[in-house]
Amino acid sequence: MKTIRVIIILLICNISLYAQHQNLDKQQKSIASISALTAKSDWEVLKTELSKGLDNGLTINQIKEELVHLYAYVGFPKSIMGLRTFLTVLDERKANGIKDNLGKEASPIDDTNPKYERGKKVLEELTKNPLSETKPDYQQFSPEIDTFLKEHLFADIFERDVLSFQQRELITVSALIALGNVEPMLKGHLGICIKQGLTKDQLIQVVETLKPYLNNYKLKSANDIIEGL
């Protein structure tokens, strides 16, 4: 029995060690790059990364969903330009005889509960914690923004099933790193990434993936926050 217990402990330790040092896969790296380049409005380099994302196995609908998701964080102009850039990439690949995988469409949302309550539930699933009854200062100052966040961002957008919560948070933190100077929001979403199964090592790899596109200040700021998680 003692030998069996030792073997079980060793297996648990090995699994834990593996999780800590798990690497980002190619699709995750593509998601991060596409997000950051859209936030940065670097359309020429984005074309290359969009094509690479398709080559790495992301579907057309997954990338389209990513670009739509981004408008909540970087604005409609950049999101729409990202979609236009993606259309150009798809046309060029089609002309070159490449048939890309469309992937599944978003399922209809048939939940009839009030959107505010649905959004609250999604946010609690993201953070793995019940929401505090005391709202942050900015939500007290502007109750409207709280309503828009719960009803639109977390209900209308995060509820869509083309991308997982983990993928959506990866998109979000990559965009926030590229934007820069939004440390409180970045810290919050990096924490959610941990709750959604990404490790600190993987988050550091996200920053490393974005290194060719961003200045040292933004990269260091992100790394400092990750180290403090």
Side-chain angles (χ1 to χ4, degrees), residues 69-178:
H69 176 100
L70 281 167
Y71 94 80
Y73 294 94
V74 303
F76 273 114
K78 293 186 178 187
S79 177
I80 292 170
M81 282 297 296
L83 288 166
R84 287 180 177 272
T85 303
F86 191 32
L87 281 170
T88 299
V89 169
L90 290 173
D91 287 343
E92 290 176 354
R93 288 170 67 90
K94 185 177 180 180
N96 289 326
I98 300 173
K99 185 176 181 180
D100 291 303
N101 181 12
L102 181 61
K104 75 170 188 175
E105 301 277 353
S107 302
I109 296 173
D110 55 8
D111 192 334
T112 58
N113 290 314
K115 283 208 293 184
Y116 187 90
E117 293 305 317
R118 284 162 42 203
K120 182 180 176 182
K121 181 181 177 182
V122 168
L123 186 53
E124 289 177 336
E125 289 177 10
L126 284 166
T127 60
K128 306 290 186 182
N129 281 308
L131 293 184
S132 171
E133 293 298 323
T134 303
K135 295 181 179 180
D137 54 359
Y138 70 89
Q139 291 182 10
Q140 295 178 43
F141 179 65
S142 174
E144 299 85 355
I145 199 70
D146 175 48
T147 299
F148 295 153
L149 283 169
K150 300 291 194 309
E151 292 188 358
H152 183 48
L153 176 60
F154 293 114
D156 288 338
I157 298 177
F158 268 83
E159 273 191 319
R160 290 166 61 83
D161 62 359
V162 175
L163 298 171
S164 67
F165 283 170
Q166 185 184 104
Q167 288 172 318
R168 289 186 182 278
E169 284 300 324
L170 178 56
I171 293 164
T172 301
V173 296
S174 300
L176 295 177
I177 292 169

Side-chain angles (χ1 to χ4, degrees), residues 49-68:
E49 289 303 317
L50 287 166
S51 188
K52 187 184 294 184
L54 291 166
D55 291 338
N56 286 338
L58 291 173
T59 69
I60 293 172
N61 281 332
Q62 282 178 317
I63 294 177
K64 182 173 68 173
E65 188 74 18
E66 173 174 5
L67 295 168
V68 171

